[in-house]
Amino acid sequence: MNLPFAGDGRFWACAFLGLGLPVCLALAWAALAGETLSAFDAFGRLATMAAFLILGLAALALATRGRAALFALLCWPASLAAASGSDGPVLALAALAAALLSPRPMTGRRGLARRAGAVVAIALAVLARPACAPLVGMLLVPFPPRGRLARYGRDRLPLAALALLPALLPASLWAQHAAGAGGGPMPLPIPLPWSLYGLWAAALLVPALALRRGPLPPRAERLWLSGCALLGLWLMVAAQALAPAGGLGGLQIRDLLPLAPMGILAFARGRIGTAAALRWPALLPVLAAAIDAVALPLIALRP
């Protein structure tokens, strides 16, 4: 089943906005039930939600590989529930960085602009969450062929160092970030039916098994990005361990979501040919998000 009209970024961006916005609003309303917010706080929540949606739209529009996986990550219920807090924009920035770095090969002026945008996105994510520093590893792929290591180091290492600058803040700011890493409302303020979990399990597993066309990145890059994700997990666990006693509720799903774009960039397959066609398994996350867009607001807003 080929859907030529749906193979570009506009389809994924419009699907994300149309299916994600009502869930964001409903879950934010449910999470804030019973709280009294000032106009400034309410505006701040709306601003972070808008930032999450805008950055997510940009990521889906600019990606050349892994759009279905990025869509699934951004439309995951925990991601949409975190959109009204500080975790949502961090996740969207990580997804945007992976999308900007997805072309293979990436050459010319457009390649330079993409890398510059990825540096800004990663630096902002690291500024908000220092444990996201391993996202810098995405700037070092794809690896160069033999004989070009000097040029590779000259071009890439300064960009990686620039993106890491926010992580070199004083140790007191690290402690402040660690203390606030798990603050705010829970990512999912409502219990979800097991049927929705099963739906998302199918929406994630079936495309991974069925969409096996196209080349994977080299094994060295897959190992490198997987190692960076593990390093990020270790840093987040360390941030939890160093936080003041009673200040955190433990490591939560929303803390790990910004690491997922590294896995998507590592395992996203390249296209075969030039036709922008979308095979039906890739639409399963869209189906899951469409069902969530109806079910989750009804569950969240019921009396």
Side-chain angles (χ1 to χ4, degrees):
M1 176 180 178
N2 290 329
L3 301 173
F5 67 90
D8 58 7
R10 288 178 296 178
F11 168 80
W12 293 106
C14 291
F16 170 64
L17 181 62
L19 301 177
L21 180 59
V23 178
C24 282
L25 294 173
L27 294 181
W29 181 276
L32 300 175
E35 294 189 25
T36 302
L37 292 181
S38 65
F40 179 80
D41 291 333
F43 177 79
R45 294 290 176 90
L46 290 175
T48 55
M49 189 183 304
F52 171 80
L53 292 171
I54 292 171
L55 293 170
L57 287 172
L60 293 170
L62 294 172
T64 60
R65 295 183 292 124
R67 278 199 182 107
L70 285 173
F71 174 87
L73 174 65
L74 293 169
C75 281
W76 186 265
S79 303
L80 296 176
S84 59
S86 60
D87 299 300
V90 174
L91 166 61
L93 285 168
L96 177 59
L100 287 168
L101 297 171
S102 60
R104 293 182 65 94
M106 186 161 49
T107 57
R109 292 183 178 179
R110 184 170 297 180
L112 294 176
R114 280 179 170 268
R115 286 199 180 95
V119 168
V120 174
I122 293 173
L124 291 175
V126 172
L127 179 64
R129 184 74 65 81
C132 290
L135 290 173
V136 172
M138 293 192 295
L139 293 169
L140 301 180
V141 295
F143 293 153
R146 293 180 180 180
R148 297 186 181 180
L149 288 177
R151 182 177 180 180
Y152 170 83
R154 184 176 66 250
D155 292 343
R156 304 288 187 85
L157 293 180
L159 295 178
L162 186 62
L164 271 178
L165 282 179
L168 303 180
L169 295 173
S172 60
L173 292 183
W174 272 80
Q176 180 182 353
H177 279 287
M186 292 292 290
L188 282 173
I190 55 174
L192 298 183
W194 283 105
S195 57
L196 292 182
Y197 288 110
L199 176 65
W200 272 104
L204 296 176
L205 292 177
V206 172
L209 296 174
L211 299 176
R212 300 179 66 86
R213 300 173 60 188
L216 284 170
R219 181 180 297 179
E221 295 180 16
R222 284 178 274 156
L223 291 174
W224 167 255
L225 290 172
S226 299
C228 289
L230 289 176
L231 176 60
L233 174 62
W234 181 84
L235 289 175
M236 290 184 179
V237 171
Q240 295 282 333
L242 295 175
L248 291 173
L251 200 64
Q252 300 176 11
I253 293 178
R254 67 164 183 244
D255 300 320
L256 307 180
L257 290 175
L259 303 177
M262 285 189 282
I264 294 175
L265 189 63
F267 293 96
R269 294 179 179 269
R271 288 182 180 178
I272 296 178
T274 58
L278 183 65
R279 299 178 63 201
W280 70 264
L283 290 175
L284 289 178
V286 181
L287 174 63
I291 294 176
D292 281 348
V294 176
L296 292 183
L298 292 177
I299 297 173
L301 300 178
R302 66 185 177 185

